[in-house]
Amino acid sequence: MLYASVPGESAVPKFEYSSFLSYRHGQGQIKQRFIEEFHRALTGELELLRGEEVFVDRERVKGGDFYNPALGRAVYQSATLIVIYQPNYFDLLHPYCAREYRGMRELEKDRLAMLPNVAERDHGLIVPVVLRGAESIPAELSALRQHEDFSKFMLMDEELSKHPQYAPKIKEIAEYIDARCRSLEAAEVPFEDARAFQLPDEDSTRRWIQSLNLSRSRFPGGGRV
């Protein structure tokens, strides 16, 4: 756990990661390329603004259904969460992404309430980024949160960085994350209870997914994408 030191004042527990990348596992080249290039680009932009890393679970890119409990602590230790959305992000058979989202949503509610500037509370700590399925993004993500659509950036077999709109979008997201981090720091929002924090359990999360009334066709069998 990092601590923010202020001359003449006690140290305040500080977040370890500027953001947590929440994405569905997969072995396909499109998914692997996007996660690697997105993470690299965002990290590069944030390095110009801040010192914290962007958390990404690289084992998940390789596929497999095992969930590491340490990811819950990483969510807690992150100032923001980026949802890499695809139509089966909220999946009943594999609800780990939904658990991460719900965990950060609970943290977001508590942390935003600590901000003294009421206007800052209108800026959420969850950033949806659409990889595929912009037309199916649920109201849970779209109603109150502005999402960034990256679905057209990987239609051609070329590097993401070569798309003319890619770099400006990454820069915009990095600046948004930096602003949220600064708000949390200025309000001295504490991050000392990582070991006590637990993500919502699978059963309650499945019931929550069902409550979203998502079209079943959007979640085909929980298979890898």
Side-chain angles (χ1 to χ4, degrees):
M1 182 66 62
L2 301 179
Y3 291 82
S5 59
V6 179
E9 298 182 8
S10 59
V12 177
K14 184 180 182 297
F15 49 84
E16 236 178 282
Y17 308 104
S18 59
S19 198
F20 178 105
L21 259 60
S22 176
Y23 64 96
R24 180 151 166 88
H25 71 253
Q27 297 176 325
Q29 291 186 354
I30 290 179
K31 170 65 70 59
Q32 292 183 11
R33 279 180 52 206
F34 183 84
I35 295 302
E36 290 295 334
E37 293 188 38
F38 182 89
H39 180 258
R40 182 168 58 248
L42 183 62
T43 297
E45 282 292 339
L46 281 168
E47 281 181 348
L48 302 175
L49 303 170
R50 319 194 50 79
E52 305 89 6
E53 296 181 1
V54 175
F55 182 90
V56 60
D57 177 21
R58 297 189 182 281
E59 291 302 312
R60 186 182 298 180
V61 180
K62 302 175 183 177
D65 298 332
F66 295 105
Y67 186 86
N68 183 352
L71 294 180
R73 293 193 295 273
V75 169
Y76 182 92
Q77 293 167 337
S78 300
T80 64
L81 180 139
I82 296 178
V83 170
I84 305 297
Y85 177 79
Q86 60 189 66
N88 59 354
Y89 178 86
F90 294 124
D91 184 15
L92 282 171
L93 293 181
H94 306 281
Y96 54 86
C97 286
R99 292 176 66 197
E100 292 167 355
Y101 172 82
R102 291 185 68 211
M104 180 55 81
R105 195 179 68 161
E106 293 175 7
L107 294 170
E108 176 187 63
K109 180 180 178 180
D110 293 339
R111 291 169 179 175
L112 291 183
M114 297 180 193
L115 302 183
N117 186 338
V118 176
E120 285 291 331
R121 300 175 192 172
D122 292 333
H123 301 293
L125 306 180
I126 298 174
V127 181
V129 169
V130 177
L131 173 58
R132 287 290 187 272
E135 69 286 348
S136 69
I137 188 168
E140 171 66 30
L141 290 177
S142 63
L144 299 176
R145 306 179 190 277
Q146 181 176 346
H147 62 273
E148 300 292 347
D149 187 359
F150 280 61
S151 61
K152 298 179 181 179
F153 293 176
M154 297 190 69
L155 296 180
M156 296 178 291
D157 187 19
E158 61 181 25
E159 294 181 6
L160 278 170
S161 58
K162 294 182 180 179
H163 194 287
Q165 297 178 20
Y166 181 69
K169 284 287 187 183
I170 291 291
K171 184 174 183 291
E172 183 178 339
I173 293 172
E175 290 174 346
Y176 182 87
I177 291 173
D178 177 50
R180 305 288 72 74
C181 290
R182 291 179 182 274
S183 294
L184 295 173
E185 290 169 331
E188 297 187 348
V189 174
F191 286 76
E192 78 272 25
D193 294 329
R195 293 187 179 277
F197 175 75
Q198 292 184 349
L199 294 175
D201 62 63
E202 289 192 11
D203 289 340
S204 68
T205 298
R206 287 193 173 96
R207 290 193 296 271
W208 177 83
I209 293 173
Q210 290 175 322
S211 74
L212 297 179
N213 295 318
L214 301 172
S215 170
R216 181 175 297 181
S217 63
R218 296 176 186 170
F219 305 97
R224 295 184 178 87
V225 175

